[in-house]
Amino acid sequence: MARAAVQRRLTWLRARLTDNLPASTRVRRLVFDVDGWPGHLPGQHVDVRLTAEDGYTAQRSYSIASPPEDPRLHLLVEDLPGGEVSPYLTEEMQAGDDLELRGPIGGYFVWSAAADAATPADRRRPVQLVAGGAGVSPFLAMLDHARRAGDPTPVRLLYSARTADDVLGGDLLGPGATVTLTRGAPPDWTGPTGRVDGALLQEHAFPPDARPRVFVCGPTVFVETVATTLVDLGHSPSAIRLERFGGTGDPA
Amino acid sequence: MALVSRGFGRRRSATTDDRLPPGQYDTGDQFPVLSAGPTPRTPLAEWDLVVRGEVAAPQTWTWEEFRELPRESVSVDIHCVTKWSKFDTRWEGVSVDTLLADAGVEGSYVVAFSDGGYTTNLPLDDVTGGRAWVVDTYDGQPLAPEHGGPARLLVPHLYFWKSAKWVRGLSVRPRNEPGFWETFGYHDRGDPWREQRYSGD
Ligand SMILES: Cc1cc2nc3c(=O)[nH]c(=O)nc-3n(C[C@H](O)[C@H](O)[C@H](O)COP(=O)(O)OP(=O)(O)OC[C@H]3O[C@@H](n4cnc5c(N)ncnc54)[C@H](O)[C@@H]3O)c2cc1C
């Protein structure tokens, strides 16, 4: 993408919460109106800043879950008990409240149908998305954008969620998506269960010889494990892009 | 004038540590991992380190030759742009001054380049004068691949993305040219004490 587009100065913008909706058992969908939002590409994130009465501030990053076509910015925030920022965003913030954010940030973890349009459809490399938990958020922006743009690029999503009630995205997931449940499945579950490993990737993801562009997003350990497995399966390291959300259990 | 978030208050322990740059928190015993792609694994037999670009005499060291260079131990605080800092990290390696000593440097900038294609740009002044190292040992142990092993650049006074993991060389340049994250809107220099996270900060 054009460097000029990302080298713009990032200023703090005032964002007004218009909706705080349940998205799954532990995730809320926060919808913002942002004054002067410059637009974004699917996959980019924002930094959110909270300021206390005493001047203390905390900043966190959140992937943008909405496509560029949506004038409002959607974030999918997992409520982490004991966390400093996520419980505030999910439990305290109400429609009409303001916060500061800046972005869009990150031009690497991006897939956009618009950027693909220059390549003839039959020469486009397929796109493989691999998500752990709330890590599906940037992929929902990508899928929504691709659908609205009528992008013919073949795309698959392999998405690991704890239980059926944790699955985000609804009908955006579509026929190219495979959900695997890691903490128990309902009796009528027909999809796979268990963590994303070599076998699941071989069965449900594009094979290395299809030369997919691969995006992996989720908790740090998930991303690390999946990236290593993909390389072991023969995917080119240069075709794999990673976004780590952090979280406990980081390798020491 | 910052916008106050009604009802928001500090939940983390009030570390008013003067070693903590603005916006950072102390990650304690953890050592988070961050990189844009998978961890490359280059066998040591194929590894080398080079100094090239605007130099009178390009330099190359094999792994064994690199291990023979004069070594230094450093204990420093490190600061990641994703907001964690880690105090008193202990490393061993070779000073960049040593690596550049015989090269005859003719430019004022360097681009560090790595296995996997990662690059980052630095003014020469930020990697010389005892301020930067190529390290292969962390906390007395060989540097783990996920932390940049076999060797990474260490530039502790700048945000940690400047400390290129899996480093394979330094290219001396006449002009400043943005590296990987710098092209994607991250700050050109990345001084944590000035909170230079993104372009324009
Ligand atoms: C690029 C990017 C995109 C992201 N996108 C999303 C998203 O779309 N949705 C989402 O839900 N999350 C996302 N995250 C994660 C998000 O930024 C926050 O980390 C998350 O919401 C937790 O913040 P918190 O303040 O609630 O928890 P914190 O208070 O930060 O605690 C969470 C964990 O951080 C560590 N930690 C924090 N503070 C300390 C401290 N003082 N001492 C020691 N350890 C500490 C601990 O491991 C702790 O368990 C993203 C992260 C990144 C980097």
Side-chain angles (χ1 to χ4, degrees):
Chain A
M1 76 184 275
R3 257 189 64 202
V6 285
Q7 293 259 323
R8 201 178 24 76
R9 188 186 168 92
L10 284 174
T11 49
W12 290 102
L13 302 169
R14 181 180 280 251
R16 172 148 301 173
L17 189 73
T18 64
D19 292 288
N20 179 342
L21 309 163
S24 73
T25 38
R26 60 186 92 228
V27 175
R28 310 275 306 182
R29 175 179 293 267
L30 304 186
V31 185
F32 293 95
D33 258 338
V34 189
D35 269 350
W37 180 248
H40 65 277
L41 295 170
Q44 290 188 296
H45 67 270
V46 292
D47 274 7
V48 165
R49 175 167 76 181
L50 301 179
T51 304
E53 299 278 355
D54 64 1
Y56 172 77
T57 64
Q59 295 180 28
R60 297 290 184 280
S61 302
Y62 293 96
S63 298
I64 301 169
S66 46
E69 291 83 359
D70 192 328
R72 292 192 168 151
L73 217 55
H74 294 230
L75 306 181
L76 289 169
V77 180
E78 180 171 356
D79 189 344
L80 294 179
E84 185 170 69
V85 170
S86 63
Y88 182 85
L89 295 177
T90 54
E91 295 165 26
E92 299 287 324
M93 281 199 82
Q94 299 163 11
D97 286 346
D98 287 349
L99 56 63
E100 290 172 302
L101 57 78
R102 62 179 184 166
I105 299 165
Y108 183 67
F109 196 82
V110 158
W111 170 51
S112 102
D116 264 14
T119 314
D122 57 337
R123 282 204 269 127
R124 271 181 224 165
R125 294 167 58 192
V127 170
Q128 178 66 52
L129 312 172
V130 187
V136 78
S137 172
F139 299 153
L140 297 179
M142 293 180 187
L143 292 171
D144 199 347
H145 174 64
R147 177 176 297 189
R148 292 181 197 225
D151 187 345
T153 305
V155 50
R156 285 188 196 166
L157 166 68
L158 179 55
Y159 171 18
S160 160
R162 283 182 236 222
T163 70
D165 293 334
D166 290 297
V167 178
L168 299 163
D171 60 5
L172 271 181
L173 298 183
T178 306
V179 177
T180 179
L181 301 180
T182 57
R183 307 252 178 107
D188 57 346
W189 183 253
T190 53
T193 55
R195 293 177 182 281
V196 172
D197 57 9
L200 269 189
L201 284 165
Q202 270 176 314
E203 191 170 349
H204 300 286
F206 286 111
D209 52 18
R211 297 182 57 245
R213 296 169 276 175
V214 189
F215 296 82
V216 187
C217 183
T220 298
V221 174
F222 173 87
V223 171
E224 197 66 25
T225 311
V226 171
T228 306
T229 309
L230 286 164
V231 174
D232 289 346
L233 290 175
H235 289 271
S236 161
S238 64
I240 304 172
R241 299 182 180 210
L242 311 177
E243 187 87 284
R244 296 180 177 85
F245 277 12
T248 48
D250 289 314
Chain B
M1 182 56 201
L3 175 85
V4 171
S5 311
R6 177 182 40 76
F8 173 70
R10 180 199 304 268
R11 285 212 191 166
R12 290 172 174 179
S13 60
T15 27
T16 45
D17 199 319
D18 59 6
R19 292 165 71 181
L20 214 49
Q24 298 292 110
Y25 72 89
D26 177 3
T27 187
D29 290 338
Q30 291 188 62
F31 194 163
V33 170
L34 215 83
S35 58
T39 300
R41 308 202 182 240
T42 302
L44 290 182
E46 288 164 29
W47 187 94
D48 61 11
L49 186 73
V50 305
V51 170
R52 66 181 191 207
E54 300 287 309
V55 292
Q59 311 280 314
T60 305
W61 298 271
T62 64
W63 177 253
E64 287 74 26
E65 289 165 345
F66 173 73
R67 297 278 303 172
E68 294 295 311
L69 291 170
R71 298 172 65 79
E72 296 178 11
S73 297
V74 281
S75 175
V76 289
D77 301 344
I78 56 176
H79 312 290
C80 178
V81 72
T82 61
K83 325 243 163 54
W84 57 267
S85 291
K86 193 167 171 60
F87 295 147
D88 302 315
T89 59
R90 298 191 305 119
W91 311 82
E92 286 168 39
V94 178
S95 163
V96 172
D97 295 307
T98 303
L99 299 173
L100 298 181
D102 298 326
V105 171
E106 291 162 358
S108 306
Y109 296 91
V110 297
V111 170
F113 54 93
S114 301
D115 278 326
Y118 183 78
T119 60
T120 188
N121 58 307
L122 299 129
L124 190 65
D125 286 348
D126 272 321
V127 295
T128 51
R131 310 178 86 190
W133 297 264
V134 171
V135 292
D136 58 19
T137 303
Y138 172 71
D139 221 3
Q141 301 295 323
L143 183 58
E146 64 267 30
H147 291 305
R152 75 180 299 162
L153 192 62
L154 176 67
V155 193
H157 67 286
L158 300 179
Y159 280 128
F160 216 42
W161 87 80
K162 294 286 184 182
S163 293
K165 291 179 174 185
W166 313 301
V167 73
R168 292 294 299 275
L170 299 173
S171 178
V172 178
R173 302 286 168 97
R175 278 177 305 278
N176 189 27
E177 296 162 32
F180 179 83
W181 286 122
E182 295 82 4
T183 305
F184 288 114
Y186 282 79
H187 196 274
D188 200 58
R189 177 143 186 271
D191 180 347
W193 295 99
R194 296 181 183 177
E195 215 174 348
Q196 293 171 336
R197 298 181 192 277
Y198 305 116
S199 172
D201 277 352

